[in-house]
């Protein structure tokens, strides 16, 4: 049932409004206590007024009851003093007094209707036995009170020596007093309370409307600020610090914007870099070709030389394009990974075998230290890409007669490949940037040795695809060590 109501409520969009809920809460919080107070005060007034009336009448009755005994009224009703007292009482409280003797006979009725009649009501009989009774009839608006007429007589006690006092009920006073005045006051109070209630209703409603509007405003400001960013009027960080909550939303939004900006900037920078990198070889080719064309009777050797340069530039262009393609392909998805069990030691040996001739050219010695056999769940192509790039760099950025050492090790979760060289090193301030696309510490030197600045970017992204990490340590002039740490199995995160 509750779920049903919930689904129905969910259908009404307006019900999901925070402002509406706030309005209802504030309104109820204002109106419920005021209703409770109204009912409470009125009921309290009634019971208190009735209590006071009862106690007043009882006091009067008690006095008159004494007088009744004193004047022996039960036997002789001629006393004018008592008559006047009874009259006064019935006038004062707009009531009726019946004096009933011990035989349950009415000796006096201030209304003069029941004189001489016998009354056998339950209350009267109970009162004869010495019990006062009080009945409040709120519907017919009267209070019925009975009061025993008690005579105190002195009797000899049981031992016959002393005397003791005894109270004997000689008759009953049966009184009914009207509560019209109380009811009238209650009516007036009730009417006023209703008017006040209505005024309060309007006031609280207006207050709730205003409050809910004001309280919701910061959220509207957040929406407006976000819309402005969305529409593109501004890309400045927004600020709505009215509430801690809005501040949190805005902070989250600002960091999202910042991230998007970084991504956008890096995309733009990437496009600019790509264009620049691709343009450079083309410019060289054009210059070479133009200078050939500008000369007449160019000797064949010069032709040959220039054509070699042109071929070199084309080769460079080709390399950049291949690297770019590798990078873009890698960015695509993890789904394209081709995971298999690979014996890393064997893979490294194959790669080193392939790279040794290049190392030999610059007299660099490459050694492999395998601490243990490593079999890991990796993508073989990606893994060889990582290893090739790192070892190639270690050879490229080395010195004459330099050394490259590849160290393989593993624990029960990860395997590590450390490629250490005795080369030129990387300055500390550049260490953070070497993974950026097209970043080169020494542009001209890197270009000279055929670098595109994309190798480490490709390497890092491949390492990340294999859920691993890469770290570089370097001392300028002494060498660099790259450590790659990759989980042995894919189930490990
Ligand atoms: P490149 O194609 O220019 O080698 P990489 O992305 O592979 O591009 O490397 C980025 C830059 O980091 C290189 O230009 C080089 O300056 C520096 N670098 C990379 N590896 C080494 C290394 N082993 N020793 C010294 N410098 C290195």
């Amino acid at each position: 049932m509750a779920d049903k109501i919930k689904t129905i409520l969910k259908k009404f969009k307006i019900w999901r409004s925070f402002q509406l809920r706030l309005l209802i809460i504030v309104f109820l919080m204002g109106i419920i206590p005021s209703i409770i107070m109204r009912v409470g005060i009125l009921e309290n007034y009634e019971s208190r007024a009735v209590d006071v009336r009862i106690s007043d009448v009882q006091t009067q009755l008690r006095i008159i009851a004494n007088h009744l005994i004193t004047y022996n009224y039960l036997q002789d009703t001629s006393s004018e003093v008592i008559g006047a007292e009874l009259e006064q009482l019935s006038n004062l409280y707009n009531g009726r007094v019946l004096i009933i003797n011990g035989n349950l006979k009415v000796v006096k009725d201030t209304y003069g209707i029941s004189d001489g009649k016998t009354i056998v009501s339950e209350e009267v009989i109970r009162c004869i036995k010495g019990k006062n009774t009080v009945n409040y009839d709120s519907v017919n608006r009267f209070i019925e009170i009975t009061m025993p007429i008690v005579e105190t007589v002195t009797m000899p006690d049981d031992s016959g020596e002393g005397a003791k006092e005894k109270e004997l009920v000689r008759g009953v006073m049966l009184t009914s007093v009207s509560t019209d005045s109380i009811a009238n006051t209650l009516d007036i109070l009730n009417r006023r309370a209703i008017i006040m209630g209505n005024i309060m209703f309007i006031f609280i409603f207006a207050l709730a409307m205003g409050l809910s509007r004001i309280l919701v405003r910061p959220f509207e400001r957040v929406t407006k600020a976000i819309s402005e960013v969305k529409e593109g009027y501004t890309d400045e960080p927004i600020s709505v610090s009215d509430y801690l909550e809005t501040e949190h939303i805005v902070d989250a939004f600002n960091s999202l914007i910042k991230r998007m900006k970084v991504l956008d900037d890096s995309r733009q920078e990437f496009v600019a870099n790509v264009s620049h990198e691709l343009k450079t070889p083309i410019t060289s080719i054009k210059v070479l070709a133009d200078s050939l064309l500008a000369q007449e009777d160019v000797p064949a050797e010069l032709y040959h030389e220039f054509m070699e340069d042109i071929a070199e530039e084309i080769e460079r262009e080709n390399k950049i394009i291949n690297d770019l393609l590798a990078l873009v392909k890698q960015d695509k998805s993890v789904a394209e990974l081709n995971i298999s069990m690979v014996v890393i030691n064997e893979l490294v040996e194959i790669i080193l075998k392939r790279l040794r001739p290049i190392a030999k050219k610059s007299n660099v010695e490459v050694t492999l230290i395998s601490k243990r056999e490593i079999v890991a769940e990796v993508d073989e192509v990606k893994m060889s890409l990582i290893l090739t790039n790192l070892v190639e760099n270690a050879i490229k950025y080395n010195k004459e007669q330099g050394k490259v050492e590849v160290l393989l090790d593993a624990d029960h979760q990860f395997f590590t490949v450390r490629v250490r060289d005795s080369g030129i090193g990387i300055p500390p301030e550049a260490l953070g940037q070497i993974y950026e696309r097209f970043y080169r510490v020494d542009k001209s030197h890197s270009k000279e040795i055929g670098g595109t600045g994309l190798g480490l970017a490709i390497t890092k992204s491949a390492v990340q695809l294999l859920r691993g990490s890469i770290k570089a340590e370097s001392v300028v002039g002494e060498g660099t060590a790259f450590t790659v740490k990759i989980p042995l199995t894919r189930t490990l995160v």
Side-chain angles (χ1 to χ4, degrees):
M1 184 67 187
D3 286 346
K4 232 179 185 178
I5 294 173
K6 263 187 199 166
T7 41
I8 292 170
L9 281 178
K10 261 187 190 162
K11 272 190 194 154
F12 295 103
K13 214 173 171 184
I14 179 85
W15 173 244
R16 286 179 10 229
S17 150
F18 177 52
Q19 187 176 349
L20 178 72
R21 290 184 188 191
L22 213 60
L23 183 135
I24 292 171
I25 290 168
V26 176
F27 180 67
L28 289 181
M29 274 171 68
I31 215 74
I32 290 174
S34 81
I35 290 174
I36 293 173
M37 244 163 74
R38 201 183 86 192
V39 173
I41 288 173
L42 289 180
E43 290 224 325
N44 198 29
Y45 166 78
E46 189 182 2
S47 77
R48 178 121 184 86
V50 168
D51 283 351
V52 169
R53 175 69 48 95
I54 290 169
S55 133
D56 282 354
V57 174
Q58 276 178 331
T59 313
Q60 294 286 331
L61 288 178
R62 214 166 286 128
I63 294 166
I64 295 174
N66 285 338
H67 288 175
L68 290 177
I69 295 295
T70 318
Y71 286 91
N72 199 15
Y73 196 80
L74 292 173
Q75 269 77 45
D76 175 13
T77 57
S78 63
S79 166
E80 280 181 19
V81 179
I82 302 291
E85 277 183 1
L86 291 174
E87 204 62 36
Q88 197 186 11
L89 179 73
S90 56
N91 284 344
L92 192 62
Y93 295 111
N94 193 16
R96 178 184 184 185
V97 185
L98 279 95
I99 313 282
I100 301 159
N101 67 14
N103 301 325
L104 305 179
K105 219 174 195 165
V106 178
V107 294
K108 172 75 180 170
D109 176 1
T110 52
Y111 277 17
I113 306 168
S114 304
D115 286 320
K117 285 186 185 163
T118 306
I119 305 259
V120 271
S121 80
E122 199 186 319
E123 282 81 16
V124 173
I125 290 169
R126 231 193 289 158
C127 192
I128 287 270
K129 289 178 184 161
K131 268 201 162 169
N132 321 17
T133 61
V134 174
N135 274 324
Y136 170 47
D137 186 335
S138 62
V139 179
N140 296 312
R141 298 178 172 187
F142 71 86
I143 309 169
E144 197 180 69
I145 303 170
T146 59
M147 173 72 69
I149 304 165
V150 179
E151 187 179 356
T152 314
V153 288
T154 317
M155 294 173 107
D157 65 7
D158 296 340
S159 64
E161 286 167 11
K164 65 174 182 185
E165 286 195 336
K166 204 172 176 199
E167 292 191 330
L168 296 171
V169 179
R170 297 295 187 202
V172 173
M173 290 177 83
L174 176 64
T175 318
S176 48
V177 290
S178 161
T179 55
D180 274 349
S181 62
I182 295 176
N184 288 343
T185 315
L186 207 62
D187 272 353
I188 293 168
L189 283 179
N190 207 4
R191 232 171 293 142
R192 281 193 194 158
I194 288 172
I195 294 170
M196 288 278 285
N198 287 346
I199 294 173
M200 261 175 84
F201 183 91
I202 296 167
F203 176 72
I204 291 172
F205 189 74
L207 188 82
M209 284 277 273
L211 255 176
S212 61
R213 249 215 162 100
I214 292 169
L215 291 175
V216 162
R217 210 165 278 162
F219 291 102
E220 284 167 359
R221 271 205 286 275
V222 173
T223 315
K224 195 165 159 259
I226 292 178
S227 301
E228 273 174 13
V229 175
K230 195 182 78 190
E231 302 294 333
Y233 297 135
T234 171
D235 54 0
E236 288 298 306
I238 58 173
S239 155
V240 182
S241 50
D242 306 52
Y243 299 141
L244 217 60
E245 287 79 2
T246 53
E247 209 171 283
H248 288 165
I249 297 174
V250 164
D251 282 351
F253 179 74
N254 281 341
S255 38
L256 177 75
I257 287 285
K258 212 163 141 192
R259 202 174 131 65
M260 276 168 61
K261 234 174 141 188
V262 168
L263 284 177
D264 195 46
D265 285 353
S266 99
R267 188 181 55 87
Q268 274 184 16
E269 194 189 310
F270 181 59
V271 172
N273 285 344
V274 168
S275 325
H276 176 77
E277 294 295 328
L278 290 178
K279 245 177 104 181
T280 322
I282 290 185
T283 315
S284 306
I285 294 170
K286 176 128 177 67
V287 169
L288 288 166
D290 280 352
S291 59
L292 273 184
L293 287 175
Q295 293 176 43
E296 276 174 29
D297 300 328
V298 184
E301 303 88 68
L302 200 66
Y303 244 118
H304 195 257
E305 197 189 322
F306 273 38
M307 278 322 232
E308 256 179 7
D309 287 350
I310 289 176
E312 219 169 76
E313 291 297 335
I314 291 173
E315 179 54 38
R316 191 171 153 64
E317 184 94 28
N318 195 27
K319 201 161 179 245
I320 295 174
I321 291 171
N322 282 340
D323 277 359
L324 272 174
L325 283 177
L327 201 64
V328 171
K329 223 168 126 193
Q330 200 142 270
D331 277 351
K332 264 192 190 159
S333 78
V334 184
E336 282 175 22
L337 281 180
N338 192 2
I339 302 292
S340 62
M341 286 299 224
V342 178
V343 184
I344 303 294
N345 314 62
E346 286 173 10
L347 185 69
V348 174
E349 264 172 41
I350 295 169
I351 289 165
L352 292 190
K353 205 171 163 190
R354 219 188 301 144
L355 292 175
R356 270 203 184 97
I358 307 171
K360 217 172 181 182
K361 266 193 207 164
S362 30
N363 279 324
V364 172
E365 187 193 343
V366 183
T367 48
L368 168 67
I369 305 172
S370 285
K371 288 248 172 142
R372 64 199 75 231
E373 202 199 41
I374 302 163
V375 184
E377 282 177 24
V378 289
D379 180 316
E380 193 168 349
V381 179
K382 296 270 177 291
M383 198 61 226
S384 25
L385 198 87
I386 296 167
L387 294 165
T388 312
N389 276 340
L390 291 180
V391 178
E392 228 173 35
N393 278 352
I395 298 168
K396 275 193 314 195
Y397 300 102
N398 221 316
K399 296 172 190 157
E400 214 23 58
Q401 311 270 310
K403 281 192 169 68
V404 174
E405 178 197 280
V406 181
L407 181 86
L408 285 179
D409 199 0
D411 56 22
H412 59 288
Q413 281 191 330
F414 299 91
F415 72 92
T416 46
V417 183
R418 199 183 66 196
V419 182
R420 200 165 62 178
D421 62 60
S422 58
I424 56 173
I426 304 167
E429 66 276 7
L431 269 179
Q433 286 168 283
I434 48 174
Y435 305 105
E436 286 171 17
R437 295 152 175 175
F438 298 116
Y439 179 80
R440 282 159 260 185
V441 177
D442 179 350
K443 224 164 176 150
S444 57
H445 177 66
S446 167
K447 227 166 164 185
E448 224 171 79
I449 48 184
T452 59
L454 291 170
L456 284 181
I458 297 171
T459 308
K460 186 166 185 185
S461 121
V463 169
Q464 281 169 343
L465 279 179
L466 299 181
R467 297 174 185 170
S469 62
I470 180 164
K471 153 178 114 180
E473 292 153 295
S474 183
V475 179
V476 177
E478 284 185 23
T480 310
F482 280 91
T483 312
V484 173
K485 192 170 172 185
I486 291 173
L488 287 166
T489 56
R490 290 293 288 176
T491 43
L492 281 173
V493 182

